[in-house]
Amino acid sequence: MRTTRLASLSTALIVCISSQAGISSDRAVRIDGGTFIQPVLLDENQRTLEMESFYLDRAQVSNSDFLDFIQQYPNWRRDQAPGLFRDADYLKHWPEPDALGDGVAGADRPLTRVSWYAARAYCQAQGGRLPSMDEWEYASARQRTLTGQSDDDYADALFAWYSNPGAETLAAVGQGEAGPLGVHDLHGLVLEWVEDFELLLTMGDQTDLLNGSCGDTARMMPEFDAAHYATFLRYQSRSNYSPRTTTTTLGFRCAYDPEDMK
């Protein structure tokens, strides 16, 4: 796939990936493996997945985190990153290519206007990776189950957020209440990149990013209640992105394999 080839090339922009000698557990929390009942059926013959354990960042990546990254890897600055790997709005909200500001450009605010390529490179430089879509959704489902949140409360909260994401007044990362897993802001701050974001609509090796309507992909919903529809909107939105996309409502966090942890 073209995206895969470009991803390899974008990795080359990191001259020397400084894979950490173990990621601190202060940064990430362990998500124990288990059974995952998929909320959207990407394979009509497979409703249930067995998930391996992995680690996930407690909080989304902040502007300050990403500033540290581009100071080490300046080829990911907005004035140096190749156009192949980001659109024209990449890091546009920062007042300078290597300086933060106020409001959504503040040090503790979630990083937005970042492409999938740049997010992927950042996580690799930390010794991690972007979480897979199934890992991210599994963490979300587990946290929701452990909180005992009802389907109606979950749907109401997500519909309220989707209709008013508040991109101009984003709160600081890690300030929202951590769920039972110790993960902050899976919902309610900004949406997040995942490694395989574009796999919703495929035909063999061909992936059509933009031609699938909500009606097309709604056929993948196993249940037609409000909670499933709220989750489905998140799946559908991923198909609207290209890997170069940057928006005010999309950030990311990193995942790690257990052997990468201290």
Side-chain angles (χ1 to χ4, degrees):
M1 293 174 60
R2 183 170 183 269
T3 298
T4 302
R5 292 196 295 271
L6 287 174
S8 299
L9 181 58
S10 70
T11 297
L13 290 180
I14 301 179
V15 177
C16 177
I17 297 176
S18 60
S19 181
Q20 308 295 310
I23 307 301
S24 169
S25 58
D26 293 339
R27 176 189 179 113
V29 296
R30 180 183 175 94
I31 310 296
D32 290 331
T35 300
F36 176 41
I37 300 175
Q38 298 182 91
V40 174
L41 298 179
L42 302 182
D43 181 343
E44 63 180 358
N45 297 314
Q46 188 171 29
R47 176 77 194 274
T48 301
L49 297 177
E50 291 300 323
M51 303 295 297
E52 300 290 336
S53 298
F54 62 99
Y55 283 77
L56 191 65
D57 277 345
R58 294 177 183 274
Q60 294 172 341
V61 173
S62 69
N63 286 314
S64 177
D65 294 331
F66 203 75
L67 177 60
D68 290 343
F69 167 69
I70 66 169
Q71 287 175 338
Q72 189 171 4
Y73 304 103
N75 41 18
W76 284 104
R77 288 168 41 132
R78 76 173 182 219
D79 57 347
Q80 297 187 33
L84 277 173
F85 304 130
R86 48 84 180 174
D87 64 21
D89 290 337
Y90 175 66
L91 300 180
K92 181 181 178 180
H93 58 308
W94 289 14
E96 302 291 339
D98 58 353
L100 306 181
D102 300 321
V104 294
D108 59 356
R109 307 297 150 159
L111 178 72
T112 58
R113 295 190 183 279
V114 62
S115 68
W116 176 82
Y117 292 113
R120 200 169 187 264
Y122 172 92
C123 289
Q124 288 177 329
Q126 314 310 310
R129 54 182 172 76
L130 285 174
S132 70
M133 183 165 59
D134 285 335
E135 287 175 333
W136 198 100
E137 293 292 340
Y138 174 67
S140 173
R142 281 212 64 198
Q143 186 140 288
R144 179 183 161 205
T145 298
L146 291 172
T147 59
Q149 187 179 32
S150 71
D151 287 354
D152 287 344
D153 287 346
Y154 167 77
D156 288 346
L158 261 63
F159 287 143
W161 176 41
Y162 292 158
S163 62
N164 184 25
E168 302 303 321
T169 57
L170 293 174
V173 302
Q175 298 304 301
E177 182 179 356
L181 298 178
V183 180
H184 297 265
D185 303 317
L186 280 176
H187 307 292
L189 197 50
V190 292
L191 297 171
E192 300 181 19
W193 283 114
V194 294
E195 173 69 18
D196 46 352
F197 71 96
E198 62 180 4
L199 296 182
L200 185 53
L201 299 173
T202 64
M203 181 180 295
D205 290 336
Q206 297 180 350
T207 300
D208 189 341
L209 296 176
L210 300 177
N211 289 342
S213 69
C214 288
D216 290 335
T217 51
R219 291 176 297 180
M220 300 175 180
M221 292 172 61
E223 306 287 343
F224 291 91
D225 55 31
H228 278 82
Y229 188 65
T231 298
F232 162 76
L233 290 179
R234 184 167 63 249
Y235 276 71
Q236 174 67 29
S237 71
R238 292 175 177 131
S239 292
N240 294 328
Y241 304 136
S242 84
R244 294 176 65 247
T245 297
T246 70
T247 81
T248 59
T249 56
L250 184 60
F252 68 100
R253 74 181 74 215
C254 304
Y256 313 89
D257 295 323
E259 57 268 27
D260 295 328
M261 305 302 293
K262 288 181 179 176

